[in-house]
Amino acid sequence: MLTTTSYLVLGLVGHLGSPTSYELKRAVADTIGGFWSVPHSQLYAEPIRLTALGMLTEEQEQGGRRRRTYTLTDTGRAELDQWLAMPTDEGTELRDLALLKLYFGGQAGDGAVQRVAERAAEVHKRRLAGYERLVSSPPPNVDLHQLSILALAARYEEEAVAFWSAVAADPDLT
Amino acid sequence: MLTTTSYLVLGLVGHLGSPTSYELKRAVADTIGGFWSVPHSQLYAEPIRLTALGMLTEEQEQGGRRRRTYTLTDTGRAELDQWLAMPTDEGTELRDLALLKLYFGGQAGDGAVQRVAERAAEVHKRRLAGYERLVSSPPPNVDLHQLSILALAARYEEEAVAFWSAVAADPDLT
DNA sequence: GGGTACATGTAATCAGTTACATGATTTA
DNA sequence: TAAATCATGTAACTGATTACATGTACCC
């Protein structure tokens, strides 16, 4: 019934207190987005569903932008708690278009693998720099668990930079 | 128009020659699944779409299981080539339910983070073992690009094991 | 005061998920 | 020959994607 997106929203609302959809969007873009992305339209649609289910309450501004702010209900809090406490057997899915292209690299034309690899190396360098900036000067209301995740993500990005640099240097992996 | 799933199917059909949907399913489960999963129903539905678009041809067995085998058309091959040659700006998304739960660990009840971490450590140990087995004795028709990806995935799994073990040992990260 | 970027949402379409269902092989 | 598992598919529903659209604030 509830999807992962639902729990993500419940968790964020719990963490942020009484955010608007736009604030959810910002929070996702800043941090979670790296390992669980959600398009912003979902961050408008999902709170509405959750409100209908009694997991959130909605309060709308009168006048101005007429923004809606959401807060957890006791039901929503209980649902979130129970989900957080349940271990999962799913591992990590390294969803990555460039890896998918490399996977089929044997079928690619001349130079294709190298060009893909060069771009991927750049992308991961940028992300790595971003994470390092975040870890060294974290925004307010980022806690230790969240920081540790950023550190793990940063380590992955390091691996990825090394990996793609090697592929770019020797696209046929001889 | 074409989705990533489309290209995944085109790539697999190109790689395997003339697979059935079931063979696509096996190929995904064995290797790609770790970094780009697709439910099996899509591996039945998508080739039908691609056939309608003229990118695949379908041949159906008479009698027996009446399986359908697919092969690339020239159009399909061209579409795949062009996609493979195009670099992408998207990075890796580390889609991981356990990380998401840990992200909200500050809101979780007593012992929840630890239990999630213990399970996650086990899951990643198993995956690591699986990748190592694959790398040391790869199945036939796995090429060098694919092997290198498995090696990268294995390195991530090592990181993950270390990460989750540390969290399990000290859930509050003091 | 006009442009530009930020902020806030809605609508249509369709891929993806989930569940169901049954046929073919193997094995005990 | 019964049970279990592998293999092959279909159907319904809905969440996710994509595109559009407009309002508000800020800056030059």
Side-chain angles (χ1 to χ4, degrees):
Chain A
M1 170 129 128
L2 295 189
T3 71
T4 302
T5 303
S6 313
Y7 291 109
L8 187 150
V9 168
L10 289 177
L12 277 179
V13 172
H15 186 63
L16 298 175
S18 52
T20 65
S21 286
Y22 187 71
E23 287 166 325
L24 295 176
K25 172 186 165 180
R26 296 307 304 265
V28 168
D30 289 348
T31 54
I32 305 191
F35 63 95
W36 205 289
S37 73
V38 186
H40 86 272
S41 66
Q42 287 295 102
L43 298 176
Y44 285 89
E46 189 62 32
I48 293 172
R49 277 176 219 140
L50 290 170
T51 301
L53 291 171
M55 311 242 163
L56 297 180
T57 56
E58 174 196 309
E59 193 158 346
Q60 189 162 24
E61 247 180 14
Q62 296 309 320
R65 301 198 159 197
R66 301 184 54 73
R67 312 183 189 113
R68 298 173 195 150
T69 58
Y70 298 97
T71 45
L72 278 183
T73 63
D74 290 345
T75 313
R77 165 68 63 194
E79 185 73 29
L80 175 61
D81 281 352
Q82 167 262 326
W83 181 76
L84 287 177
M86 188 180 2
T88 172
D89 284 329
E90 287 169 46
T92 306
E93 191 174 333
L94 300 173
R95 251 175 191 252
D96 187 315
L97 272 183
L99 282 181
L100 198 52
K101 292 183 186 211
L102 179 62
Y103 189 87
F104 298 122
Q107 303 178 66
D110 272 1
V113 166
Q114 186 171 11
R115 284 195 303 279
V116 168
E118 282 166 354
R119 181 77 67 86
E122 284 169 30
V123 168
H124 287 287
K125 274 178 199 157
R126 256 198 303 276
R127 289 261 288 238
L128 176 56
Y131 283 132
E132 281 172 347
R133 216 176 316 115
L134 265 178
V135 169
S136 65
S137 60
N141 75 15
V142 166
D143 67 26
L144 281 176
H145 293 118
Q146 294 166 2
L147 267 184
S148 73
I149 293 175
L150 293 179
L152 173 65
R155 259 175 283 146
Y156 169 76
E157 295 297 334
E158 286 172 17
E159 300 276 15
V161 170
F163 175 80
W164 287 110
S165 300
V167 175
D170 177 16
D172 299 326
L173 305 171
T174 52
Chain B
M1 170 130 127
L2 294 189
T3 70
T4 303
T5 303
S6 313
Y7 291 109
L8 187 150
V9 168
L10 289 177
L12 277 178
V13 171
H15 186 64
L16 297 174
S18 52
T20 64
S21 285
Y22 187 72
E23 287 167 325
L24 296 178
K25 173 186 165 180
R26 295 308 303 264
V28 168
D30 290 348
T31 54
I32 305 191
F35 63 96
W36 204 290
S37 75
V38 186
H40 87 272
S41 66
Q42 288 294 103
L43 298 176
Y44 286 88
E46 189 62 32
I48 294 172
R49 277 176 220 142
L50 290 170
T51 301
L53 291 171
M55 312 241 162
L56 297 179
T57 56
E58 174 196 308
E59 193 158 348
Q60 187 161 25
E61 246 180 15
Q62 296 308 320
R65 299 195 163 203
R66 301 184 55 72
R67 309 182 191 115
R68 299 173 196 149
T69 58
Y70 298 97
T71 46
L72 278 184
T73 64
D74 289 345
T75 313
R77 164 69 61 195
E79 185 72 31
L80 175 61
D81 281 352
Q82 167 262 326
W83 182 75
L84 286 176
M86 188 179 1
T88 172
D89 284 328
E90 288 170 47
T92 306
E93 191 175 332
L94 300 172
R95 250 174 193 253
D96 187 314
L97 271 183
L99 281 181
L100 197 53
K101 292 183 186 212
L102 179 62
Y103 189 88
F104 298 121
Q107 301 178 67
D110 272 3
V113 167
Q114 186 171 12
R115 284 194 302 280
V116 167
E118 282 166 354
R119 180 78 66 86
E122 284 169 31
V123 167
H124 287 287
K125 275 178 198 157
R126 256 199 301 277
R127 289 260 287 237
L128 176 56
Y131 282 132
E132 282 172 345
R133 215 176 318 117
L134 265 178
V135 170
S136 65
S137 60
N141 75 16
V142 165
D143 67 26
L144 281 176
H145 292 118
Q146 294 166 1
L147 266 183
S148 73
I149 292 175
L150 293 179
L152 174 65
R155 258 176 284 147
Y156 169 76
E157 294 298 334
E158 285 171 18
E159 300 276 15
V161 169
F163 176 80
W164 286 110
S165 301
V167 175
D170 177 18
D172 298 327
L173 305 171
T174 52

